Amino acid sequence: MILILKILREGSGRILIFLDWLIKPSITQRSPENQLFVDKKTELLKLYEFYACPFCIKTRRAIKRLNLNLETRNAKQGDYRKELELNGGKVQVPCLRIDNAGEVSWLYESNDIINYLEKHF
Ligand SMILES: N[C@@H](CCC(=O)N[C@@H](CS)C(=O)NCC(=O)O)C(=O)O
């Protein structure tokens, strides 16, 4: 049963990736100076994600729409997964790692992440 759900989720993720590629969001335009300023700020943000997770696709789409150059980290396995579990508290994606002048916080929930990004950018 769990396996079937996983396959369905992975499958729907792949369909969403295709639709996301097909229907491009309109992208926020900035002056080069403003974009540079925003790029500097987004250096402090990292998005932990799975490639085909529907919630991550939604979040990545918002990142694209807001024209943010934000590093994404594949937490499916390996060091980033361990890092997320150990420091964030659980393996759930998407999760935004926010480095606020050396003070790190971990923001879960796609809607909260999108709200945070829309508020700050
Ligand atoms: N309500 C959450 C749902 C996130 C969620 O269910 N993520 C799944 C992947 S699609 C997850 O992290 N599962 C943990 C795992 O598969 O180990 C959100 O909107 O971000």
Side-chain angles (χ1 to χ4, degrees):
M1 189 62 187
I2 290 173
L3 185 68
I4 293 171
L5 285 177
K6 274 196 170 175
I7 291 169
L8 283 177
R9 196 174 58 190
E10 189 73 17
S12 65
R14 299 279 159 178
I15 293 167
L16 282 176
I17 285 168
F18 175 67
L19 290 176
D20 179 45
W21 172 80
L22 204 65
I23 309 157
K24 306 266 190 291
S26 59
I27 294 173
T28 305
Q29 299 295 334
R30 299 186 182 88
S31 68
E33 301 80 49
N34 270 352
Q35 188 62 48
L36 218 66
F37 178 72
V38 165
D39 287 349
K40 204 78 206 146
K41 277 174 76 178
T42 48
E43 268 176 23
L44 301 169
L45 305 174
K46 316 286 174 206
L47 185 79
Y48 288 68
E49 56 145 19
F50 297 167
Y51 178 64
C53 155
F55 305 98
C56 301
I57 297 166
K58 180 175 81 170
T59 309
R60 286 203 303 266
R61 195 170 170 84
I63 289 169
K64 205 183 291 169
R65 176 170 51 80
L66 293 167
N67 201 359
L68 305 175
N69 293 311
L70 201 153
E71 183 184 324
T72 55
R73 294 180 166 177
N74 182 3
K76 195 82 183 169
Q77 60 229 343
D79 287 349
Y80 288 141
R81 186 182 180 91
K82 281 186 217 138
E83 213 173 274
L84 177 63
E85 185 167 26
L86 202 71
N87 302 319
K90 58 181 171 180
V91 176
Q92 185 188 295
V93 290
C95 179
L96 187 68
R97 181 187 188 275
I98 306 165
D99 183 341
N100 193 359
E103 195 175 306
V104 173
S105 58
W106 299 77
L107 182 62
Y108 287 94
E109 291 299 324
S110 51
N111 285 342
D112 293 344
I113 295 171
I114 294 168
N115 285 341
Y116 174 91
L117 294 174
E118 282 176 345
K119 190 172 155 218
H120 287 81
F121 303 99

